């Protein structure tokens, strides 16, 4: 039996249950309200009958009865005295519309047959008295005087008046009886009305209680249970099942929440699996990165030690080779002198290569102080170091107003020195050497430019020239080690920037690089014109290049050269 009832209950959705409960409660309240309205209507009718209908009827009947008595007294006095003044009450009763005939006509329009009959009887009896006694007696007294009315006529008039008075009294008594019945019925219906009001209040309270119980049982408790399950799941207990509770829609919602929990569990499992894989990959990457850092550290240490320790034996080789050339030069044949010259040149080139490699390995390893650096001062130092080659070549270096950047000043001096030295080295013999340093603010960084009018670089080698030991010329055309621009790239990248060769249609080369700005950009006042390029005269140098970081030779380049293998 319970198995049959469960599916039937499940078919009752929450919407249907609420609709049924609201309709039932509405019908119950409607019945009680309708009954209350009917009771109040009946109560108002009875109250109107007591206070208006019967009260007015009794008042008018008493008035008509009093007028009838006054008329009888006036006629009898007139018959005894013959004085017309005594007929004034009679004249007033006749002139007044208030009579039992009028009351009988009004009762005839009602639905009370007993009152209608009593009113008609009173009207007929009073009419007989007026017609058969009062009017003839007054006519006889007017015609024959006081003695014209006989005793028999007066006795007959008394009998008629007693009949009229009895009928009128009976009508009045019946009115009072009807009014008393209406008063009793009014009291009864008043109690009924009070009971209906109490019943209406009790019905409203009962409907409210039933609705509250219904809402609590069908909505609040299932929602509380569903919310508790949802809170348990949301607090991290994803294995907590969400029970299917409540009718219809709430049960469907619980099913959807349970499906969502299952989906979340699957997703969490997938994420945990992915996280495990990521952790494994991260550990592997960390291990590889550590291995790479160790390898780079070992390589840098090896390059530093090799370049540093090789200088001593190489210095001996170069010294003794030069001594051999000085002492025995010209004493042997031409081929021996050529071999000695090759040995001296190779030793010098090897020494320059080792010095450049040492300088390259030191970038970023010495831990210099990073501060606000004025590139104008940096450019001045670089030009002072290059003063000898600038004077020899007659090069003219111009620049825009240079900014202040964040960096290590010695490295930036090395950067400017290599770029300007490169421009001077690879000059075009057919025209004077000009080099321009420009600066443009780009966001939080400065983009700088070194523009010359030299032989230029073929665009196909624009990336290759920044690779260490890459040369575009044979060593007998342009001497050098192929480390210059790679050292510039390492310095720029150490400062968080990038360096590239900007393609253009004219002569020469345009090398661009970025450096971090020292402070936020300030708006430029359009009223102040920018100073034109200011030529910088070469300065004679009285000092040598700084020893631990000797200036590296620029990279060889040409417009249509092929790389040297």
């Amino acid at each position: 039996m319970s198995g049959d009832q469960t599916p039937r209950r499940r078919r009752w959705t929450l919407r249907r249950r609420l609709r049924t409960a609201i309709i039932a409660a509405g019908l119950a309240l409607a019945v009680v309200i309708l009954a209350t309205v009917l009771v109040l209507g009946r109560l108002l009718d009875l109250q109107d009958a007591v206070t208006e209908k019967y009260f007015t009827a009794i008042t008018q009947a008493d008035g008509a009865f009093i007028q009838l008595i006054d008329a009888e007294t006036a006629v009898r006095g007139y018959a005894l005295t013959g004085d017309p003044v005594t007929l004034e009450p009679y004249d007033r009763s006749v002139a007044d519309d208030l009579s039992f005939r009028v009351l009988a006509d009004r009762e005839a329009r009602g639905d009370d047959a007993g009152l209608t009959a009593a009113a008609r009887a009173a009207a007929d009896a009073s009419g007989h008295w007026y017609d058969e006694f009062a009017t003839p007696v007054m006519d006889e007294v007017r015609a024959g005087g006081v003695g014209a009315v006989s005793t028999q006529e007066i006795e007959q008039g008394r009998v008629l008046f007693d009949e009229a008075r009895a009928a009128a009294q009976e009508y009045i008594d019946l009115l009072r009886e009807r009014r008393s019945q209406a008063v009793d019925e009014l009291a009864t219906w008043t109690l009924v009305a009070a009971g209906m009001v109490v019943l209406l209040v009790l019905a409203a309270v009962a409907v409210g209680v039933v609705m509250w119980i219904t809402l609590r049982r069908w909505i609040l408790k299932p929602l509380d249970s569903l919310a508790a399950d949802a809170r348990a799941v949301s607090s991290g207990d994803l294995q907590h099942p969400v029970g299917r509770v409540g009718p219809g829609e709430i049960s469907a919602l619980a099913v959807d929440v349970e499906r969502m929990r299952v989906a979340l569990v699957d997703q969490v499992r997938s994420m945990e699996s992915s996280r495990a894989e990521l952790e494994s990959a991260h550990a592997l990457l960390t291990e590889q990165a550590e291995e790479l850092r160790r390898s780079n550290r070992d390589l840098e240490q090896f390059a530093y030690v090799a370049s540093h320790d090789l200088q001593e034996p190489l210095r001996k080789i170069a010294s003794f080779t030069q001594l051999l050339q000085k002492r025995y030069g010209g004493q042997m044949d031409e081929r021996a002198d050529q071999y000695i010259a090759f040995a001296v040149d190779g030793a010098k080139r090897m020494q320059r290569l080792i010095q450049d490699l040492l300088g390259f390995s030191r970038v970023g390893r010495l831990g210099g102080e990073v501060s606000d650096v004025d590139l104008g001062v940096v450019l001045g130092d670089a030009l002072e170091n290059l003063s000898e080659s600038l004077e020899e070549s007659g090069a003219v270096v111009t620049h825009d107003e240079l900014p202040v950047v964040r960096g290590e000043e010695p490295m930036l001096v090395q950067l400017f020195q290599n770029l300007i030295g490169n421009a001077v080295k690879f000059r075009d013999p057919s025209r004077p050497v000009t080099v321009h340093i420009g600066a443009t603010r780009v966001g939080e960084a400065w983009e700088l430019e070194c523009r010359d009018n030299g032989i230029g670089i073929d665009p196909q080698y624009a990336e290759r020239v920044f690779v260490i030991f890459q040369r575009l010329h044979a060593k007998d055309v342009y001497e050098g080690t192929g480390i210059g621009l790679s050292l510039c790239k390492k310095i720029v990248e150490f400062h968080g920037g990038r360096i590239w060769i900007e393609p253009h249609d004219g002569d020469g080369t345009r090398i661009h690089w970025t450096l971090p700005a020292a402070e936020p950009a300030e708006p430029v006042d359009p009223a102040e014109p920018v100073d034109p390029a200011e030529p910088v005269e070469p300065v004679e140098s009285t000092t040598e290049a700084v020893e631990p970081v000797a200036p590296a030779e620029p990279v060889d380049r040409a417009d249509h050269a092929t790389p040297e293998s």
Side-chain angles (χ1 to χ4, degrees):
M1 188 66 179
S2 59
D4 296 335
Q5 289 179 352
T6 301
R8 187 178 298 112
R9 287 183 179 178
R10 289 180 179 175
R11 288 196 296 269
W12 278 72
T13 63
L14 177 62
R15 185 180 290 104
R16 184 177 179 184
R17 292 185 180 192
L18 290 177
R19 183 171 61 246
T20 303
I22 291 174
I23 291 175
L27 289 176
L29 286 177
V31 170
V32 175
I33 291 173
L34 180 61
T36 303
V37 170
L38 294 177
V39 169
L40 291 177
R42 179 58 180 167
L43 184 65
L44 292 176
D45 290 341
L46 290 173
Q47 187 175 7
D48 180 73
V50 172
T51 58
E52 294 293 334
K53 177 182 176 181
Y54 290 115
F55 179 79
T56 303
I58 292 173
T59 302
Q60 291 177 351
D62 287 341
F65 183 70
I66 292 172
Q67 288 181 358
L68 179 62
I69 294 175
D70 291 342
E72 191 274 335
T73 303
V75 170
R76 187 158 41 85
Y78 181 68
L80 294 175
T81 64
D83 188 358
V85 177
T86 58
L87 292 177
E88 289 180 1
Y90 177 83
D91 294 336
R92 285 196 302 270
S93 66
V94 173
D96 195 352
D97 294 334
L98 187 61
S99 63
F100 287 104
R101 180 63 62 188
V102 174
L103 297 179
D105 293 340
R106 186 191 64 190
E107 295 293 347
R109 293 192 294 269
D111 54 357
D112 193 336
L115 286 177
T116 301
R120 283 179 179 176
D124 292 341
S126 61
H128 290 164
W129 180 81
Y130 278 107
D131 294 339
E132 296 180 7
F133 176 74
T135 302
V137 167
M138 289 186 295
D139 291 341
E140 290 178 0
V141 171
R142 289 191 189 97
V146 175
V149 180
S150 63
T151 304
Q152 184 178 2
E153 289 177 340
I154 291 175
E155 182 62 24
Q156 184 179 2
R158 185 183 64 80
V159 173
L160 293 174
F161 180 76
D162 290 341
E163 292 177 356
R165 182 172 56 187
Q169 189 63 46
E170 183 178 355
Y171 170 62
I172 292 172
D173 292 341
L174 187 58
L175 282 175
R176 295 182 184 278
E177 183 181 354
R178 292 287 193 274
R179 183 176 181 276
S180 178
Q181 292 176 355
V183 169
D184 295 339
E185 190 174 1
L186 177 62
T188 301
W189 282 100
T190 300
L191 294 177
V192 173
M196 291 304 298
V197 171
V198 174
L199 180 61
L200 180 62
V201 173
L202 293 177
V205 172
V207 168
V209 171
V210 170
M211 292 300 295
W212 167 250
I213 295 175
T214 300
L215 292 176
R216 181 175 177 80
R217 179 180 178 184
W218 291 347
I219 298 178
L220 297 181
K221 290 183 66 176
L223 286 179
D224 289 342
S225 177
L226 179 58
D229 292 340
R231 282 193 297 269
V233 174
S234 64
S235 63
D237 186 8
L238 295 180
Q239 302 302 324
H240 181 81
V242 178
R244 183 173 180 176
V245 294
E249 292 82 351
I250 298 180
S251 178
L253 178 60
V255 172
D256 293 338
V257 174
E258 173 63 14
R259 291 175 180 172
M260 181 177 67
R261 184 193 67 82
V262 173
L264 285 175
V265 170
D266 295 338
Q267 291 180 4
V268 168
R269 289 175 180 172
S270 177
M271 290 177 63
E272 289 178 350
S273 176
S274 300
R275 184 175 63 183
E277 295 177 357
L278 288 175
E279 289 177 352
S280 176
H282 178 70
L284 181 60
L285 287 176
T286 303
E287 182 180 355
Q288 293 178 351
E290 183 62 29
E291 183 67 25
L292 184 59
R293 281 194 296 269
R294 184 168 54 252
S295 176
N296 288 338
R297 187 169 59 251
D298 293 343
L299 287 175
E300 290 178 356
Q301 186 68 23
F302 171 78
Y304 175 77
V305 172
S307 60
H308 187 273
D309 293 347
L310 284 176
Q311 290 189 71
E312 181 60 28
L314 186 60
R315 188 179 298 113
K316 289 183 179 181
I317 293 173
S319 299
F320 284 105
T321 305
Q322 290 173 0
L323 289 174
L324 183 64
Q325 183 184 33
K326 182 177 180 180
R327 175 171 296 185
Y328 297 103
Q331 297 182 15
M332 293 180 287
D333 58 7
E334 182 180 354
R335 184 175 295 274
D337 291 338
Q338 185 180 7
Y339 289 164
I340 293 174
F342 284 163
V344 172
D345 180 67
K348 290 181 179 179
R349 291 185 66 252
M350 178 61 75
Q351 193 171 17
R352 287 197 302 269
L353 181 61
I354 291 175
Q355 289 176 349
D356 291 346
L357 182 60
L358 180 61
F360 186 84
S361 65
R362 284 175 174 174
V363 174
R365 296 181 67 248
L366 299 179
E369 181 182 359
V370 177
S371 60
D372 293 345
V373 179
D374 187 349
L375 292 184
V377 176
V378 168
L379 178 60
D381 294 342
L383 293 177
E384 184 177 355
N385 295 337
L386 295 171
S387 59
E388 196 173 322
S389 61
L390 292 175
E391 288 180 357
E392 179 183 352
S393 62
V396 176
V397 180
T398 60
H399 65 90
D400 295 339
E401 183 178 354
L402 297 179
V404 177
V405 298
R406 293 289 293 176
E408 293 188 18
E409 186 172 353
M411 289 188 184
L412 297 179
V413 172
Q414 183 73 43
L415 173 65
F416 275 80
Q417 183 175 325
N418 280 15
L419 293 175
I420 298 174
N422 229 29
V424 173
K425 178 179 179 180
F426 294 98
R427 60 186 177 271
D428 190 336
S430 63
R431 51 181 176 265
V433 181
T434 60
V435 181
H436 180 75
I437 306 296
T440 305
R441 184 64 181 259
V442 180
E444 298 297 325
W446 284 96
E447 181 179 325
L448 295 110
E449 176 192 22
C450 179
R451 182 172 68 248
D452 62 56
N453 61 345
I455 62 176
I457 298 177
D458 194 316
Q460 64 178 323
Y461 303 125
E463 295 290 337
R464 189 171 181 178
V465 295
F466 294 106
V467 179
I468 190 171
F469 299 136
Q470 293 295 319
R471 296 173 52 88
L472 302 183
H473 301 278
K475 61 179 177 296
D476 56 347
V477 180
Y478 290 100
E479 63 178 7
T481 60
I483 299 181
L485 284 181
S486 62
L487 179 61
C488 294
K489 180 180 180 183
K490 190 171 184 181
I491 293 173
V492 171
E493 290 180 348
F494 172 77
H495 287 82
R498 66 186 186 95
I499 187 170
W500 71 97
I501 296 177
E502 189 73 21
H504 65 288
D505 296 332
D507 297 327
T509 305
R510 293 183 178 181
I511 299 179
H512 290 247
W513 70 98
T514 59
L515 293 174
E519 69 280 337
E522 296 181 357
V524 178
D525 188 356
E528 297 182 1
V530 178
D531 293 337
E534 176 187 355
V536 178
E537 294 296 334
V539 182
E540 292 186 359
S541 176
T542 59
T543 60
E544 296 179 354
V546 179
E547 171 50 24
V549 186
E553 294 293 335
V555 170
D556 302 328
R557 52 186 180 170
D559 288 328
H560 302 288
T562 58
E564 179 186 3
S565 60

